[in-house]
Amino acid sequence: MDNRKKELEDSQNNPCWVAFIHPMTFIVPNDEIPWEVKLEDINNISYSSGNLVRIVTKFNIEKSELCGLICYDGAVAIPKNIKFQTKESALNYFSLFFAKLLLANFYVEGIDHKDIVNGNLNENWSIWPTDLGNSSISNLHSKIRMLNASNMDTIHLANPRILYVNDLLDKLKLGDEIFKQIPNLNPKFLLRGITEFKYKNWDLVLSNLWISLEQLIDFIWNHNFLANNVNHPNIEVPNRKKSLKEDSRTWSASVKQEILYQKNLIDEDILNRLSKARKIRNKLVHQGINVDEQTAKDILDVTIRLIKIIAIKSNLEDLNFDKSDIRKVKNSDFQPNFISWKKLPDSNFVESVFGKDVTKKVKKESRKKN
């Protein structure tokens, strides 16, 4: 068997799912200086793709005999073994992986099925190739890897974020510690909500983070309130705790929030913001009324504060996704008058500007070519 054929078989025997840390991030080995891609190489698409696709570290995957792999360009690969037979299982894992980085104060955008691509362990040193996937993120990263991107895309290599391997592993450890303290927190909704906040999609911020909020409130209700004997009679009341835990009609989210406030488990500001957000959410669901920016800010702030209340074993003092992504636009007195817009004809738009003779000639030449 020749070497090339063996390499192909080895690659096919080591398939994996791949998702990319986005925005563009270089994961740099601890003993290396970050790669500065020359502008000339970026413009000419002549940079070393091998430097992007090379594996720089491994990480452990719980309850899996195989580890995960990370490439220099932020590609995260997990094996298509029994644990990750379906794309859905891969999506759940990647969401948790990225959310761990997010809660360690390193912004990573949320993903869905469109962002996950196929790849292979190649020649024992790289993850190659990866397909293009069905999203802008997967397309961008895969095309850059394949030297098949436009200059508008490869410019991302000029100013990537830099994260050293040790820092990445430390952040994953911190994120893992947080999620172990809040096991019912679904990372997909948290990731998506914070991603939509960056892009100012306020409706989607509220829709996603409200799910996270209810999970956080339920955790505080079950573990900080129900589990504390101080909050219960000395004499066991039949079915009382069962009702408090399972009867969601009597003990609705709003009622739980009020009791948690009365017990000083959440403060007045959190209760007030939750109440306002709940009313707006109901209007969004039942009346289709849009969500405003302030509500989205409030819901994000409360989400982070509740995580801090629960994950008391972790240092989350600096965790904040609001300040870095809100850019204030300078007010201007300029008011457009739309005069040209109002004067547009009902048809023959180009003819009205360049005249019938010019456009007639252009159309005639176009018909000849076709």
Side-chain angles (χ1 to χ4, degrees):
M1 183 184 295
D2 59 57
N3 290 336
R4 196 64 204 153
K5 186 176 180 181
K6 185 177 184 303
E7 288 173 4
L8 178 61
E9 287 190 358
D10 288 344
S11 176
Q12 291 173 336
N13 284 327
N14 293 276
C16 58
W17 299 110
V18 179
F20 297 95
I21 297 174
H22 188 82
M24 177 68 72
T25 306
F26 283 176
I27 309 301
V28 183
N30 303 309
D31 59 350
E32 292 186 19
I33 297 172
W35 180 31
E36 293 185 16
V37 189
K38 295 179 180 178
L39 189 58
E40 179 183 358
D41 289 334
I42 291 173
N43 290 333
N44 295 329
I45 321 293
S46 58
Y47 52 85
S48 171
S49 61
N51 202 32
L52 295 174
V53 305
R54 66 183 173 114
I55 298 166
V56 294
T57 190
K58 301 193 295 186
F59 60 91
N60 292 325
I61 299 175
E62 191 174 357
K63 297 180 180 178
S64 173
E65 76 282 8
L66 296 173
C67 62
L69 305 171
I70 300 176
C71 296
Y72 197 97
D73 66 349
V76 182
I78 56 176
K80 288 187 179 181
N81 58 1
I82 295 175
K83 185 177 178 67
F84 302 116
Q85 288 182 317
T86 65
K87 185 176 280 192
E88 181 65 28
S89 62
L91 173 61
N92 291 335
Y93 186 82
F94 284 130
S95 296
L96 179 59
F97 185 98
F98 291 157
K100 287 177 182 179
L101 294 177
L102 192 71
L103 291 184
N105 226 15
F106 187 80
Y107 177 77
V108 181
E109 293 198 355
I111 62 171
D112 55 32
H113 283 86
K114 301 188 296 296
D115 300 298
I116 299 174
V117 300
N118 298 294
N120 294 281
L121 172 61
N122 183 55
E123 299 180 337
N124 297 332
W125 68 273
S126 68
I127 297 298
W128 177 266
T130 52
D131 63 45
L132 296 180
N134 297 296
S135 73
S136 59
I137 291 177
S138 61
N139 261 261
L140 171 69
H141 288 268
S142 293
K143 284 183 175 180
I144 288 175
R145 292 174 131 236
M146 296 175 183
L147 300 175
N148 194 29
S150 68
N151 296 127
M152 292 296 292
D153 290 332
T154 54
I155 199 66
H156 287 275
L157 296 174
N159 190 31
R161 298 183 301 173
I162 301 298
L163 187 61
Y164 283 93
V165 166
N166 276 353
D167 292 336
L168 171 68
L169 298 179
D170 286 345
K171 289 180 184 300
L172 288 174
K173 184 178 179 181
L174 173 59
D176 186 57
E177 178 184 281
I178 296 167
F179 272 101
K180 283 182 177 177
Q181 293 176 74
I182 322 173
N184 70 320
L185 182 60
N186 188 307
K188 282 193 282 191
F189 299 106
L190 182 68
L191 265 175
R192 180 55 58 192
I194 294 176
T195 299
E196 298 301 344
F197 185 86
K198 176 184 178 182
Y199 292 104
K200 306 185 187 302
N201 297 318
W202 311 129
D203 295 357
L204 295 176
V205 174
L206 180 56
S207 299
N208 284 279
L209 290 187
W210 189 261
I211 296 174
S212 298
L213 279 173
E214 293 218 1
Q215 292 168 350
L216 293 166
I217 289 294
D218 277 347
F219 186 92
I220 296 174
W221 177 260
N222 289 318
H223 295 271
N224 295 34
F225 175 69
L226 291 184
N228 191 336
N229 290 330
V230 174
N231 300 317
H232 308 290
N234 293 326
I235 300 174
E236 185 74 24
V237 178
N239 295 322
R240 178 178 177 275
K241 285 189 178 180
K242 182 179 179 182
S243 172
L244 289 168
K245 190 170 185 178
E246 299 177 1
D247 187 356
S248 58
R249 291 174 298 177
T250 303
W251 307 102
S252 64
S254 59
V255 172
K256 289 178 181 177
Q257 291 161 20
E258 176 62 32
I259 292 176
L260 294 179
Y261 165 66
Q262 296 292 343
K263 290 293 182 178
N264 293 319
L265 294 172
I266 60 174
D267 62 31
E268 181 179 347
D269 183 56
I270 289 177
L271 180 68
N272 182 44
R273 295 194 193 194
L274 283 172
S275 178
K276 289 179 179 178
R278 183 173 58 255
K279 292 175 182 177
I280 294 172
R281 176 189 173 274
N282 290 339
K283 289 181 178 180
L284 171 64
V285 171
H286 300 292
Q287 302 174 34
I289 294 176
N290 293 329
V291 177
D292 61 275
E293 180 179 352
Q294 187 58 51
T295 298
K297 285 184 176 181
D298 287 346
I299 209 76
L300 176 60
D301 181 65
V302 170
T303 301
I304 300 303
R305 288 172 64 184
L306 290 177
I307 290 173
K308 290 179 179 180
I309 287 172
I310 299 171
I312 55 175
K313 296 178 182 178
S314 306
N315 181 12
L316 302 179
E317 184 178 345
D318 297 328
L319 184 61
N320 191 333
F321 298 104
D322 187 347
K323 294 179 182 178
S324 60
D325 290 313
I326 292 296
R327 298 175 177 83
K328 293 184 178 179
V329 179
K330 185 178 179 180
N331 292 328
S332 173
D333 295 329
F334 172 75
Q335 293 293 329
N337 56 32
F338 295 104
I339 290 176
S340 296
W341 198 303
K342 293 172 184 176
K343 290 182 177 180
L344 285 173
D346 294 329
S347 60
N348 298 323
F349 301 97
V350 179
E351 288 86 342
S352 67
V353 177
F354 297 103
K356 291 184 179 180
D357 292 338
V358 174
T359 53
K360 184 178 180 180
K361 182 179 179 182
V362 172
K363 289 180 179 180
K364 185 176 180 180
E365 290 177 355
S366 176
R367 282 195 293 269
K368 285 181 180 179
K369 292 179 180 179
N370 293 332

